[in-house]
Amino acid sequence: MIGTTLFGASYSVYVRIVRLVLAELGIAYALSEVDIFAKDGVPVDYLERHPFGRIPAFEHDGFRLFETDAIVFYLVEHFGGEALLASEAQMRARMRQIMRIMDNYAYRALVWGIYVEETEHARSGRLAPDELERAAQCLRVLDDLSGPAFFVGAQCTLADLWVFPMLAYLRLAPSGAVLLRGHQNLVAWLERMDDRPSVQATRFPAERTGAVPTQS
Ligand SMILES: N[C@@H](CCC(=O)N[C@@H](CS)C(=O)NCC(=O)O)C(=O)O
């Protein structure tokens, strides 16, 4: 396959991270829609691209890849996107720390624990204190790590592009919006990010229409 193709769904947090990077770097690509939550399960041919059945998967001029981190670093290195990396060692380490916090702690708590539970499982206002506390802890940590303009330094880096999709879902959930109100730094950062063309070009369907996606 010649060119750049991203396989996944526009409602997916991890697909959006890659799309944000593609947009920030001005790389033309095709989005090939794959619904891993389809009634009949993950499409069988998709498992050839991603044996674990997650999204996204990626192909560039015949080079196939999966795992968001690997895809993003390939894009940055192949297409000269170093401006998205913090330039100094400690700041770059902080950037990666924030990315891994999002993967390892925030994704489950914010997206599945709050957004999906409240909007899809009709548990709005009925979450348990420990579910809310896990999300609250993530926000406290992120708030502590956030800088005055972007997460790390004076320019948008991969840290911002990793955090944005997860907080974008969180703020759509009633309890998530309440939690966020206690972190005005994060609210202001979200509003700054909302102005970026990359963010506007990759809106989740639920942000555009107010409709709730099947899964995230
Ligand atoms: N480690 C994977 C995670 C990707 C991931 O979890 N994607 C979600 C959608 S945002 C997914 O495929 N979920 C399906 C599932 O949990 O079965 C990556 O970094 O690409």
Side-chain angles (χ1 to χ4, degrees):
M1 187 179 283
I2 303 298
T4 303
T5 307
L6 185 64
F7 298 83
S10 54
Y11 58 72
S12 155
V13 164
Y14 281 97
V15 171
R16 188 165 186 192
I17 292 171
V18 179
R19 295 183 74 203
L20 285 169
V21 172
L22 287 159
E24 290 283 342
L25 299 183
I27 301 168
Y29 68 99
L31 178 65
S32 176
E33 288 280 342
V34 177
D35 186 5
I36 49 163
F37 297 113
K39 189 162 53 64
D40 298 331
V42 180
V44 174
D45 57 347
Y46 181 69
L47 292 173
E48 289 168 18
R49 296 191 175 276
H50 198 316
F52 299 101
R54 299 285 182 97
I55 48 176
F58 171 85
E59 183 165 338
H60 174 238
D61 287 351
F63 175 59
R64 290 183 175 199
L65 204 54
F66 64 86
E67 283 304 301
T68 302
D69 190 78
I71 297 166
V72 163
F73 274 90
Y74 173 75
L75 291 171
V76 164
E77 285 162 14
H78 186 83
F79 291 95
E82 281 76 11
L84 290 177
L85 305 178
S87 52
E88 181 269 330
Q90 290 188 356
M91 290 178 49
R92 195 170 289 193
R94 187 69 75 212
M95 178 193 86
R96 297 187 94 126
Q97 180 191 25
I98 291 166
M99 292 156 69
R100 296 296 82 78
I101 289 169
M102 299 317 288
D103 289 343
N104 295 321
Y105 312 110
Y107 175 61
R108 282 283 142 198
L110 306 185
V111 178
W112 290 93
I114 300 232
Y115 174 75
V116 172
E117 286 301 321
E118 287 209 309
T119 60
E120 294 184 28
H121 298 168
R123 291 186 58 215
S124 189
R126 295 193 288 123
L127 296 180
D130 65 315
E131 293 173 288
L132 291 169
E133 177 47 31
R134 273 196 294 275
Q137 185 190 24
C138 291
L139 293 189
R140 284 196 298 274
V141 170
L142 286 176
D143 199 341
D144 284 350
L145 292 175
S146 66
F150 294 99
F151 268 91
V152 181
Q155 63 188 34
C156 178
T157 69
L158 295 182
D160 301 280
L161 304 182
W162 234 264
V163 175
F164 185 82
M166 300 190 207
L167 292 199
Y169 267 139
L170 185 73
R171 71 179 163 180
L172 292 181
S175 297
V178 169
L179 288 176
L180 270 168
R181 278 207 285 277
H183 297 279
Q184 286 304 311
N185 285 341
L186 296 178
V187 172
W189 170 84
L190 272 167
E191 286 169 0
R192 279 196 298 283
M193 291 296 287
D194 281 332
D195 290 338
R196 294 187 83 80
S198 65
V199 165
Q200 290 169 8
T202 59
R203 289 266 179 240
F204 290 130
E207 290 178 288
R208 287 198 302 265
T209 63
V212 175
T214 318
Q215 292 287 350
S216 47

